[in-house]
């Protein structure tokens, strides 16, 4: 087959390199052009093999995947799919890698290795194909130890703000997938502390969303937390849908808006599902809602956003030029759900303008 996607596998485990090589080679659209046991070997092979996509282990001796990304991206901008361990350290490094430019990640199984590796190969194959066509956006965001004291002071201020916050009369819903962690950050960090309540639905496995919420919380004036069943939607707070669970908006005439978080099978391949969250917002919030679809593969959110717009909500989607993958925004715009396409750098201002109206 012509124009196969050329893949370089980087992992310190010979067994994992073999499993990934054999598994990926079964797909007629992929060609494994090489493997490397560590970043130093990979650095030598990249200019020679010229892969289209690289899979990169997060935790490796001598140099971890994060440090390799820092050094690699300026010299050889290359779509990278991280292979993450499900340890706390591995999850944190994965989020750091996404901030440094990695396109996406897959998580290594912890139990039932035979079944787990089968699912990993299926997910990795798909994400390599997505990465091959993704835009490489130059996110270079890193937090520093020097900001620790300032963050702690800000956190105390936010806790006090949340204790006195009013129920939100408006609800902002943001749905995202591939490339979404940095796109969401780009928006949330631009909002002032008293912004109406926000619910973020980011396609991500369980465990990662808590760390994602914690990271956002350390960087924004608003209070960010992983959503729990019954959490109120209040001014100044961002709720992140937990990975592996669905989230819905509900309205109580006395208490205002809150969220229902529950376990259920994936909906059209996704859990959490943007469609489920946005359909509930259409019914419960109506014209007082704002819906936003960001970068991501597929069409999740397009039906839900259309329902929101049909119920009077204002609806936006990210433009193609700034999307890592212009799948979800494209579908939301094509079916008439999104009123217009907005560059990610202008999205916070566009949402704020809708709130003022």
């Amino acid at each position: 087959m012509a124009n196969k996607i050329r893949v370089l596998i980087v992992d310190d485990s010979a067994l994992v390199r073999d499993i990934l090589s054999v598994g990926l080679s079964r797909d007629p659209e992929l060609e494994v052009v090489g493997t490397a046991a560590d970043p130093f070997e990979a650095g030598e092979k990249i200019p020679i093999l010229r892969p289209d996509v690289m899979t990169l282990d997060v935790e490796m001796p001598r140099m971890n995947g994060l440090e390799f990304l820092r050094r690699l991206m300026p010299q050889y901008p290359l779509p990278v799919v991280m292979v993450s361990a499900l340890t706390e350290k591995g999850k944190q490094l994965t989020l750091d890698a996404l901030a440094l430019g990695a396109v996406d990640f897959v998580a290594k199984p912890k139990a039932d290795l035979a079944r787990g590796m089968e699912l990993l190969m299926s997910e990795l194959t798909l994400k390599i194909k997505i990465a091959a066509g993704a835009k490489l956006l130059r996110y270079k965001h890193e937090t520093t130890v020097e900001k620790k004291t300032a963050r702690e002071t800000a956190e105390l201020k936010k806790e006090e703000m949340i204790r006195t916050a009013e129920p939100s009369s408006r609800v902002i819903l943001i749905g995202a997938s591939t490339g979404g962690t940095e796109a969401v950050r780009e928006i949330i960090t631009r909002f002032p502390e008293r912004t109406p309540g926000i619910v973020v639905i980011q396609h991500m496995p369980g465990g990662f969303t808590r760390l994602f919420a914690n990271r956002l919380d350390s960087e924004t004036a608003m209070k960010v937390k992983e959503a729990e069943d019954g959490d109120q939607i209040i001014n100044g707070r961002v709720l992140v849908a937990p990975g592996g669970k669905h989230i819905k908006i509900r309205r109580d005439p006395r208490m205002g808006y809150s969220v229902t978080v529950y376990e259920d099978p994936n909906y059209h391949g996704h859990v959490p599902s943007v469609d489920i969250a946005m359909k509930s917002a259409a019914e419960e919030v109506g014209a007082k809602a704002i819906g936003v679809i960001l970068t991501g593969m597929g069409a999740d959110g397009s039906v839900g956003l259309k329902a929101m717009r049909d119920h009077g909500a204002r609806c936006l989607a990210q433009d193609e030029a700034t999307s890592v993958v212009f799948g979800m925004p494209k579908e939301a715009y094509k079916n008439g759900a999104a009123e217009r396409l907005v560059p990610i750098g202008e999205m916070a201002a566009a949402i704020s303008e809708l709130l003022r109206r």
Side-chain angles (χ1 to χ4, degrees):
M1 178 179 176
N3 299 321
K4 288 187 176 184
I5 298 169
R6 298 166 57 83
V7 183
L8 174 65
I9 297 167
V10 185
D11 198 294
D12 65 303
S13 166
L15 176 60
V16 172
R17 292 197 302 273
D18 288 344
I19 291 172
L20 296 186
S21 294
V22 172
L24 294 176
S25 296
R26 291 192 181 121
D27 192 291
E29 296 179 37
L30 305 182
E31 178 186 3
V32 177
V33 294
T35 65
D38 58 44
F40 297 98
E41 184 181 354
E44 294 174 354
K45 289 186 173 182
I46 287 171
I48 300 169
L49 299 176
R50 298 195 175 279
D52 299 310
V53 179
M54 179 173 67
T55 72
L56 180 60
D57 189 15
V58 170
E59 298 184 73
M60 292 181 289
R62 298 180 69 193
M63 183 191 297
N64 65 31
L66 189 65
E67 182 59 30
F68 185 37
L69 272 181
R70 284 195 188 98
R71 300 185 185 190
L72 172 73
M73 285 302 188
Q75 298 181 61
Y76 298 103
L78 180 67
V80 175
V81 178
M82 305 300 294
V83 180
S84 170
L86 283 174
T87 61
E88 286 299 297
K89 179 183 177 184
K91 293 173 186 174
Q92 192 63 61
L93 287 172
T94 300
L95 290 178
D96 290 340
L98 294 175
L100 287 171
V103 174
D104 211 334
F105 71 95
V106 296
K108 292 179 179 177
K110 285 197 299 186
D112 188 6
L113 290 181
R115 174 65 175 159
M117 288 305 295
E118 181 183 338
L119 292 173
L120 180 143
M121 289 309 310
S122 175
E123 184 181 7
L124 182 59
T125 299
L126 174 61
K127 290 188 174 181
I128 287 172
K129 293 177 182 179
I130 294 171
K135 292 186 180 70
L136 294 182
L137 303 181
R138 293 306 194 130
Y139 296 116
K140 291 293 179 185
H141 171 70
E142 294 179 74
T143 57
T144 61
V145 176
E146 290 76 12
K147 294 180 181 177
K148 182 179 179 182
T149 302
R151 287 202 302 265
E152 290 172 347
T153 302
E155 188 60 26
L156 290 173
K157 180 182 176 184
K158 283 194 276 188
E159 292 294 345
E160 177 60 27
M161 176 188 73
I162 292 302
R163 278 195 293 271
T164 60
E166 295 288 330
S168 184
S169 62
R170 308 287 298 275
V171 181
I172 303 165
L173 285 90
I174 301 175
S177 188
T178 308
T181 55
E182 290 306 297
V184 169
R185 187 193 66 80
E186 180 74 15
I187 296 172
I188 301 299
T189 54
R190 294 177 184 236
F191 284 140
E193 62 185 38
R194 293 291 180 178
T195 300
I198 299 172
V199 178
V200 173
I201 310 97
Q202 166 71 48
H203 292 163
M204 193 177 277
F208 288 89
T209 43
R210 178 178 57 80
L211 293 176
F212 176 48
N214 291 345
R215 165 164 291 189
L216 283 176
D217 185 59
S218 72
E219 300 166 350
T220 178
M222 299 182 74
K223 176 64 182 174
V224 186
K225 71 182 292 286
E226 186 180 57
E228 298 175 80
D229 187 48
D231 275 344
Q232 271 192 294
I233 299 173
I234 57 180
N235 294 329
R237 182 153 75 178
V238 180
L239 299 175
V240 177
K245 296 181 180 180
H246 292 299
I247 192 168
K248 286 184 176 181
I249 314 300
R250 66 176 181 225
R251 180 174 61 86
D252 185 300
R254 296 167 301 169
M255 302 295 292
Y257 302 109
S258 61
V259 296
T260 299
V261 175
Y262 63 100
E263 294 186 5
D264 218 14
N266 70 56
Y267 182 78
H268 295 169
H270 302 293
V271 54
S273 161
V274 182
D275 272 330
I276 284 177
M278 289 191 168
K279 284 179 183 177
S280 71
E283 297 168 2
E284 298 290 312
V285 189
K288 293 184 178 181
I290 294 175
V292 179
I293 296 293
L294 302 180
T295 173
M297 185 71 176
D300 188 29
S302 62
V303 174
L305 192 71
K306 184 64 165 62
M308 288 181 68
R309 190 171 184 188
D310 289 346
H311 281 74
R314 303 304 300 270
C315 301
L316 305 171
Q318 187 176 352
D319 73 341
E320 182 174 7
T322 63
S323 293
V324 174
V325 179
F326 189 55
M328 287 166 53
K330 178 182 178 181
E331 293 302 316
Y333 187 66
K334 189 168 71 174
N335 77 347
E339 302 169 40
R340 60 192 177 99
L341 299 173
V342 181
I344 193 62
E346 300 173 18
M347 188 65 80
I351 294 170
S352 297
E353 178 60 27
L354 293 179
L355 289 171
R356 283 192 291 271
R357 293 178 187 175

